[in-house]
Amino acid sequence: MDSSRSSSTWHLVPTPTTSSIGSPTTDHADQPLPQPPAVLPGPLPVTILSANSWRTAYPRIGQFAMTESEEVVAAGPNGLFYFRRVRDHASMPWSEARPLPDTLMLNDSTVSGLAVRSSHLRLDVYCVSGGVLHNFYRSTEAGSSFVVNPHPPLSTYHVTGTPAIATTADNHYEPKGWSLVVPCHSGGLLHTWKNHPRLIGSSYPNEGWGPQDHVATDLGIISAVSVAFTQTSGSTHMDIVVVCVASGRLHTLEGRFARDKYSTSLRWKTQTSTRIHHPGEVTGNPTLVARAGIDQLDLLVPSAEGGVFHFVRTASTPDEWHMIARIGFPPGLPIASCLACNTDFGPQNKRRFNLLVQSGGRLYRVTTCEGARPWSGSYLEQIVAPGPFSD
């Protein structure tokens, strides 16, 4: 007998027997039955389930990128892996980590930057490692797997740093168009584009990549970049706005994205880069957040002294970036080396920023609603393993 049970008190509940006349009897009819425990008033002690003790934790995370719907691709010790927020359930847990096949050499030690692009048809991943831009994609159908693109864009260039993708607004009649910007190893930025049928005057998407633009060569070596499309209300023209990091300082450049005269070729006609003023140096990658239908841009970037800077550019000051917050992190938390941000709507239908930050090989999530004092009272939630946030 199990020794752990030998000291327990056991109550034998007799099995009813049937008499010769069919009436149920027991051998000990006068023995009382065990009483159930008393039910205490008040709510049940239900807590958020901690996944740390029974689910495999996410591996160490280096560079990562995130879509608007919180699909995350990250570089870990054993290559690239993917997980996402399960947004069709109210508890919104995180999914299991799934590796991208044949990416062992694209790990947290070799990958300098990632960018992702999501549409209703597929998810694209762009990864910079060893001077080469790699491209993986998968269908959005359930059960689909990532495959490698044997002919990635900018394959003839030596690239570096963190790439970025900007996507135009979606509609029901034409696919999204997007622009890809990557730092060039020799200095400056490389830009190319795909699928802009409205701008090139065709009703069919262009399956190939457009011509390459080499811009911002005056800035020298650029470590990271972010890109966004802007469109003035009532205008059919689109501009491309870029913010990049060179020698620990922020710079911005923008220009019309339009067709060359007498040609169907789209080109990015940039202006001279300007400097964004900020205290100290910045590190990691900048992230531009565009608000649909409003000529406003938000910019978030890690500070080299810790925490994150938050800038905004409004319609009334298109040539100025205003720092509206410096998000301080707890003492001892390593400097953030990578971040990503998306927006949705929080309480009282206020616009909410959802910021993911990589620090010390772990991911943290911090949120705030738009207002006069953003990020005040916010706190870090560590993303450790699949499931809801740990309690």
Side-chain angles (χ1 to χ4, degrees):
M1 173 179 276
D2 187 344
S3 61
S4 64
R5 296 184 178 181
S6 60
S7 60
S8 301
T9 302
W10 292 81
H11 297 280
L12 178 63
V13 180
T15 303
T17 61
T18 304
S19 68
S20 58
I21 60 173
S23 300
T25 62
T26 64
D27 295 334
H28 306 282
D30 58 343
Q31 181 175 339
L33 295 175
Q35 296 298 312
V39 177
L40 299 177
L44 295 174
V46 179
T47 60
I48 297 176
L49 179 64
S50 174
N52 298 348
S53 60
W54 63 282
R55 298 298 294 269
T56 302
Y58 294 136
R60 184 179 70 248
I61 290 177
Q63 295 291 313
F64 78 95
M66 178 181 69
T67 68
E68 278 292 316
S69 57
E70 292 186 292
E71 298 169 287
V72 177
V73 178
N78 297 313
L80 302 180
F81 65 97
Y82 162 87
F83 62 99
R84 67 185 179 92
R85 198 80 181 274
V86 181
R87 299 175 70 89
D88 55 352
H89 189 272
S91 64
M92 299 184 70
W94 293 95
S95 72
E96 293 184 3
R98 302 189 182 277
L100 273 67
D102 303 321
T103 60
L104 185 62
M105 299 304 295
L106 302 178
N107 53 51
D108 58 340
S109 298
T110 62
V111 170
S112 64
L114 288 160
V116 292
R117 170 197 167 270
S118 179
S119 73
H120 66 286
L121 293 177
R122 71 187 226 175
L123 174 68
D124 273 276
V125 178
Y126 297 93
C127 169
V128 174
S129 178
V132 177
L133 181 67
H134 304 267
N135 178 208
F136 305 87
Y137 63 91
R138 72 167 182 84
S139 167
T140 55
E141 295 181 1
S144 61
S145 301
F146 281 95
V147 296
V148 63
N149 180 3
H151 305 291
L154 304 175
S155 57
T156 60
Y157 290 88
H158 196 197
V159 297
T160 186
T162 302
I165 296 175
T167 305
T168 58
D170 198 9
N171 63 51
H172 298 291
Y173 304 103
E174 63 186 37
K176 287 183 179 181
W178 70 95
S179 284
L180 173 66
V181 181
V182 187
C184 184
H185 188 268
S186 61
L189 296 169
L190 298 168
H191 165 259
T192 185
W193 56 268
K194 192 174 185 180
N195 283 358
H196 283 288
R198 178 170 59 87
L199 292 180
I200 62 176
S202 169
S203 59
Y204 298 97
N206 176 16
E207 295 299 331
W209 287 90
Q212 294 82 38
D213 300 307
H214 192 183
V215 300
T217 55
D218 59 304
L219 296 179
I221 303 301
I222 293 171
S223 60
V225 62
S226 186
V227 57
F229 282 107
T230 61
Q231 187 169 2
T232 305
S233 179
S235 172
T236 59
H237 301 295
M238 287 192 299
D239 289 344
I240 295 180
V241 179
V242 154
V243 172
C244 58
V245 178
S247 301
R249 307 300 302 181
L250 286 173
H251 301 265
T252 181
L253 63 154
E254 62 183 288
R256 183 65 46 82
F257 185 52
R259 196 170 37 183
D260 282 337
K261 192 174 183 180
Y262 308 118
S263 171
T264 60
S265 178
L266 290 169
R267 304 307 294 255
W268 180 25
K269 302 174 182 179
T270 63
Q271 302 172 1
T272 304
S273 62
T274 59
R275 185 168 165 177
I276 299 175
H277 297 285
H278 50 84
E281 294 188 350
V282 296
T283 186
N285 64 288
T287 296
L288 281 170
V289 183
R291 185 171 180 177
I294 296 180
D295 190 13
Q296 176 179 310
L297 288 173
D298 288 84
L299 167 65
L300 296 107
V301 62
S303 166
E305 297 178 1
V308 174
F309 294 143
H310 185 176
F311 301 83
V312 65
R313 195 188 80 170
T314 66
S316 63
T317 55
D319 57 346
E320 295 181 12
W321 290 89
H322 308 279
M323 183 184 289
I324 59 172
R326 180 171 185 167
I327 313 166
F329 288 167
L333 197 69
I335 294 172
S337 60
C338 188
L339 58 77
C341 186
N342 69 359
T343 60
D344 59 11
F345 291 97
Q348 301 177 349
N349 208 33
K350 288 186 177 181
R351 187 183 183 219
R352 178 172 57 189
F353 292 88
N354 304 300
L355 177 65
L356 258 62
V357 180
Q358 188 268 60
S359 173
R362 291 295 182 189
L363 276 186
Y364 298 86
R365 186 174 188 263
V366 56
T367 65
T368 191
C369 284
E370 195 170 47
R373 294 180 59 83
W375 308 103
S376 297
S378 58
Y379 58 94
L380 292 173
E381 299 171 302
Q382 187 174 2
I383 302 172
V384 178
F389 287 111
S390 302
D391 55 355

